[in-house]
Amino acid sequence: MRQPATRTAVPAQSSGPDAAPGLDVFNTVPPAEAQAALMDCCGSHRWAQRLTAHRPYPDLDALLAAADEAGYDLAPADLAEALAAEVSPGLHDAAPHSAHLALRAAHAAYESRFGHVFVMCLDGLEPAEQPDQVLAGIRARLGHEHDQERVVSADEMRRLARGRIIDLVSGS
């Protein structure tokens, strides 16, 4: 399993009671810096360039809507680029060895079938629930046809990107 990428942070700043702390900074940093931060949210250059080019965003909801729209417009090559930058969900080091083996085998089967890592947004799940959800997700999605799995993977990428953007501009 690949190691998680280091995320680029946008410094926290707020200019009003409802502003996301880092949104003002995100809106004003040089384009290369904004694009680098966005590449940590979704590994598609086209997606990151599009969001960077449409700054400034009046609020977090507008940025998230633009991210969703850009995600829906990803060409197959853009999605492949984003998936290539992802790390498959793993287990905590303290998990039993048998669980690590089972998850590695499931990831290998998925990657062999679809040619990219398994992606799944785990936002909102307790850490103890995540391994079971990942294994169940891989097993269920191994039955998909390639076109169906491309749609599901793209949706999971959009969900992951949304959560990462929220983290980026909230300074968490």
Side-chain angles (χ1 to χ4, degrees), residues 62-152:
L63 174 56
L64 293 174
D68 284 345
E69 182 180 334
Y72 284 114
D73 290 344
L74 288 178
D78 300 322
L79 178 58
E81 178 186 28
L83 289 168
E86 284 299 311
V87 176
S88 296
L91 298 175
H92 188 275
D93 290 339
H97 181 67
S98 59
H100 283 279
L101 290 175
L103 188 58
R104 265 195 294 269
H107 279 300
Y110 180 91
E111 289 180 30
S112 175
R113 174 152 168 74
F114 296 110
H116 59 81
V117 299
F118 175 80
V119 291
M120 180 179 203
C121 182
L122 300 172
D123 293 351
L125 291 176
E126 295 295 325
E129 299 172 329
Q130 293 177 2
D132 290 338
Q133 291 297 317
V134 170
L135 278 171
I138 291 174
R139 289 180 181 136
R141 288 168 54 186
L142 276 169
H144 290 175
E145 295 299 323
H146 283 271
D147 289 343
Q148 181 185 17
E149 183 55 23
R150 186 174 16 259
V151 169
V152 173

Side-chain angles (χ1 to χ4, degrees), residues 20-45:
L23 186 60
D24 289 339
V25 174
F26 173 76
N27 280 332
T28 58
V29 295
E33 194 175 329
Q35 192 169 330
L38 288 168
M39 287 293 294
D40 288 339
C41 297
C42 176
S44 164
H45 282 89

